[in-house]
Amino acid sequence: MTHNFLSPLTGSFAMPAAENPTVAMIEAAYRHHGLDWRYLNCEVAPSALADAVRGARAMGWMGFNCSIPHKVAVIEHLDGLGESARIIGAVNTVVRRGERLIGENTDGKGFVAALSPIVHPAGKRVVLLGAGGAARAVGVEMALAGAAEITIVNRSAGRGEEVAAIIDANTPAIGRYQPWMSRYVVPEGTDILINATSIGLFPDVEAMPDIDADSLRPDMVVADGIPNPPLTPFLRAAQRRGCRTADGLGMLVNQGIVAIRYWTGIDADAAVMRRALLDLGL
Ligand code: NDP
């Protein structure tokens, strides 16, 4: 591969770096908007992360994404953190601001952006299934966007309690934990139900979070973080009950839009980016 090093560089530090759909999505946006920018996918081993960040500085990269296992480890190599990245404790997007590299987290921001045309989080009661990295980002960002209450429902109590406590202590929202022992009955009065577990991700495409489908009501908005496949059994069950839904492909596209805005200042076209992902078979 050859690069014109006059083109501003962005990219992803991933491990393994193979088959990263973000490359197609971001480069489609750059092309569509006539930006002579590049987004390179780099395989970076954990032991090489410090050198990789130094390399990005030296080559004047405008920013880069970090995927697992670099999302937390990268923080010590940066010059500062955005508010939500600090609360979440993880960075998925690094942004050059002057000579400084600042860590941001666009996962939750992308989720909120994808959800907002359907329902804005302000004042809403939210039930969030899961307490991993995605749930933490979504929970914190929903809380910062004005959600009134966030109930974390998770199998492992330790992780669930930790995410609830982070939301409660660092945002205006009430954060609470509920154990996920058996079939979960969604409480009455829930406005937004979100699956932020990994249940339903390819290849396990028939799997569905163990919830009581009878407790879904038509006035609820139901969202899934799973991008592949976008129409999960969870969302299909919600649609059968008359709920409005938001899929994980929308979250993926919108976290990319937020990152592109940080790097280039441009509001990228969501339809072009979604098409690029669907062309890959997502
Ligand atoms: P983690 O491994 O950090 O967390 C997984 C979560 O799923 C945990 O809460 C875990 O519970 C729960 N879980 C997994 N299997 C089960 C099960 N059988 N029953 C109950 N709970 C279960 O993953 P991430 O948070 O990083 O990612 C979660 C999903 O979010 C992934 O599928 C990923 O594709 C998606 N994602 C989507 C993005 C997008 O842009 N659309 C962005 C980032 C992530 P426990 O704690 O008990 O183990």
Side-chain angles (χ1 to χ4, degrees), residues 108 111-112 115 121-131 134-154 160-169 171-178 184 187 189-194 196:
F111 179 84
V112 170
L115 185 71
K124 295 294 187 284
R125 278 163 296 191
V126 177
V127 170
L128 182 54
L129 307 174
R136 192 183 274 235
V138 166
V140 166
E141 217 67 64
M142 289 288 286
L144 292 177
E149 295 173 15
I150 309 224
T151 302
I152 306 290
V153 179
N154 199 51
E161 283 165 351
E162 191 187 344
V163 176
I166 286 170
I167 290 168
D168 210 51
T171 77
I174 296 167
R176 65 165 72 90
Y177 168 70
Q178 268 188 359
Y184 182 72
T190 300
D191 300 302
I192 304 171
L193 171 68
I194 305 163

Side-chain angles (χ1 to χ4, degrees), residues 4-277:
N4 170 7
F5 277 91
L6 295 175
S7 307
L9 294 181
T10 56
S12 175
F13 291 177
M15 201 196 113
E19 294 184 24
N20 184 345
T22 305
V23 177
M25 177 177 82
I26 304 269
E27 291 233 316
Y30 288 170
R31 275 195 304 278
H32 179 76
H33 293 283
L35 292 171
D36 183 23
W37 285 51
R38 296 290 174 272
Y39 186 94
L40 310 176
N41 203 20
C42 303
E43 182 156 341
V44 176
S47 59
L49 183 61
D51 287 342
V53 176
R54 268 197 294 276
R57 281 184 198 276
M59 290 185 280
W61 282 38
M62 299 304 288
F64 52 91
N65 290 125
C66 289
S67 55
I68 289 168
H70 303 313
K71 288 185 173 186
V72 176
V74 76
I75 291 174
E76 65 173 291
H77 308 297
L78 303 178
D79 305 308
L81 295 177
E83 184 190 19
S84 65
R86 181 184 54 76
I87 299 172
I88 296 162
V91 163
N92 79 332
T93 303
V94 175
V95 187
R96 174 184 288 271
R97 298 199 175 115
E99 289 307 305
R100 305 176 78 217
L101 292 182
I102 305 299
E104 300 282 359
N105 197 310
T106 65
D107 281 336
K109 292 182 199 298
F111 179 84
V112 170
L115 185 71
S116 291
I118 303 168
V119 60
H120 193 275
K124 295 294 187 284
R125 278 163 296 191
V126 177
V127 170
L128 182 54
L129 307 174
R136 192 183 274 235
V138 166
V140 166
E141 217 67 64
M142 289 288 286
L144 292 177
E149 295 173 15
I150 309 224
T151 302
I152 306 290
V153 179
N154 199 51
R155 188 178 54 176
S156 312
R159 291 224 274 180
E161 283 165 351
E162 191 187 344
V163 176
I166 286 170
I167 290 168
D168 210 51
N170 295 283
T171 77
I174 296 167
R176 65 165 72 90
Y177 168 70
Q178 268 188 359
W180 195 353
M181 312 292 270
S182 54
R183 183 144 300 176
Y184 182 72
V185 177
V186 183
E188 273 188 39
T190 300
D191 300 302
I192 304 171
L193 171 68
I194 305 163
N195 174 35
T197 72
S198 44
I199 302 167
L201 187 65
F202 182 85
D204 215 0
V205 297
E206 293 306 324
M208 173 168 158
D210 191 13
I211 60 151
D212 178 0
D214 288 338
S215 62
L216 298 175
R217 280 170 297 278
D219 57 350
M220 281 180 198
V221 172
V222 177
D224 204 329
I226 298 293
N228 178 23
L231 186 55
T232 56
F234 179 64
L235 291 186
R236 269 189 258 128
Q239 288 173 354
R240 279 196 297 275
R241 302 279 158 165
C243 308
R244 287 170 298 155
T245 57
D247 68 32
L249 209 53
M251 175 181 174
L252 184 59
V253 166
N254 278 280
Q255 62 82 26
I257 289 176
V258 176
I260 291 174
R261 190 181 303 128
Y262 277 140
W263 296 327
T264 71
I266 286 218
D267 278 321
D269 186 320
V272 166
M273 295 167 69
R274 192 174 173 103
R275 171 53 48 205
L277 291 173

